[in-house]
């Protein structure tokens, strides 16, 4: 089963060589193109404990390696809500900075044309928001390069949130021990999609 796609690609090549001008040859060429297509996606937890190594999951297909860079991400930057053109320009501004981490990730050499998944260790980071950008090429600004990204936060804190009598009730705890914390400063905000900014909301009762 693992090498079925490889065998299918070989049959497609034989059809193209034997019947180059046929309709079937055109279909075989399309299928070969689809089988050879590259795929790349990165996943990590939304919240990471500070200064501890963690693991991300890299989904890939037909790629021998991936270039990885980690950049600080401002609190007000919400890429998922931006139109495509604004997202691209924002990513260029981010990549103009110096990354806090960068490395070449070698991927398992699997010539079966199948999608695969591997774990990728990431060195610990200081508290803050980050974006991890992964590309098939070292030049991340190449528009033809297959590139993907994920965003995450590094924090010792975890927040439990619920609504009671039209009030937001928030409990702040240590992510590692689960103990409730006192004296924590909180600035509750919600994202305004039209203005593309975070705005305060409340009232809030702290526990």
């Amino acid at each position: 089963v693992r090498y079925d796609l490889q065998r299918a690609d070989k049959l497609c090549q034989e059809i193209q060589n034997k019947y180059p001008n046929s309709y079937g040859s055109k279909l075989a060429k399309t299928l070969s193109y689809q089988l050879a297509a590259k795929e790349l996606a990165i996943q990590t937890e939304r919240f990471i404990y500070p200064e501890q190594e963690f693991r991300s999951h890299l989904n890939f297909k037909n790629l021998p390696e991936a270039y990885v860079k980690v950049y600080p991400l401002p609190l007000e930057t919400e890429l998922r809500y931006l139109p495509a053109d604004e997202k691209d320009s924002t990513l260029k501004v981010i990549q103009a900075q110096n990354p806090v981490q960068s490395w070449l990730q070698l991927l398992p050499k699997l010539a079966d044309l199948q999608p695969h998944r591997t774990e990728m260790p990431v060195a610990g980071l200081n508290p803050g928001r980050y974006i991890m950008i992964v590309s098939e090429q070292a030049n991340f600004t190449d528009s033809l390069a297959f590139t993907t990204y994920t965003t995450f936060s590094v924090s010792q804190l975890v927040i439990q949130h619920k609504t009671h009598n039209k009030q937001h009730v928030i409990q702040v705890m240590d992510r590692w021990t689960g103990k409730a914390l006192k004296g924590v400063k909180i600035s509750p905000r919600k994202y305004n999609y039209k203005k593309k900014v975070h705005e305060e909301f409340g009232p809030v009762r702290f526990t």
Side-chain angles (χ1 to χ4, degrees), residues 58-168:
L58 199 60
N59 299 294
F60 67 96
K61 177 187 166 190
N62 298 330
L63 288 171
E65 59 193 20
Y67 295 84
V68 187
K69 292 184 180 181
V70 180
Y71 297 90
L73 186 66
L75 177 64
E76 65 275 9
T77 304
E78 289 289 355
L79 292 170
R80 56 183 170 169
Y81 301 133
L82 295 179
D85 56 340
E86 289 187 39
K87 184 180 296 184
D88 290 342
S89 60
T90 302
L91 285 171
K92 288 180 181 178
V93 171
I94 292 171
Q95 292 178 74
Q97 308 175 61
N98 292 323
V100 294
Q101 292 185 21
S102 63
W103 68 94
L104 171 62
Q105 182 70 35
L106 297 178
L107 301 174
K109 295 181 179 180
L110 304 165
D112 54 12
L113 303 178
Q114 299 275 5
H116 294 278
R117 181 182 177 93
T118 188
E119 283 192 342
M120 182 174 66
V122 184
L125 293 161
N126 294 325
R129 286 190 74 216
Y130 295 90
I131 179 170
M132 182 185 296
I133 305 179
V134 185
S135 177
E136 64 168 318
Q137 296 184 16
N139 182 8
F140 278 39
T141 58
D142 187 344
S143 60
L144 298 178
F146 207 105
T147 304
T148 185
Y149 70 87
T150 186
T151 62
F152 59 95
S153 297
V154 177
S155 176
Q156 178 185 353
L157 309 179
V158 62
I159 295 176
Q160 282 191 346
H161 171 244
K162 62 181 179 180
T163 304
H164 180 68
N165 292 333
K166 297 183 179 180
Q167 284 191 322
H168 298 278

Side-chain angles (χ1 to χ4, degrees), residues 29-41:
K29 184 177 180 180
T30 299
L31 181 55
S32 286
Y33 179 81
Q34 293 172 344
L35 292 174
K38 300 174 182 178
E39 294 180 8
L40 186 63

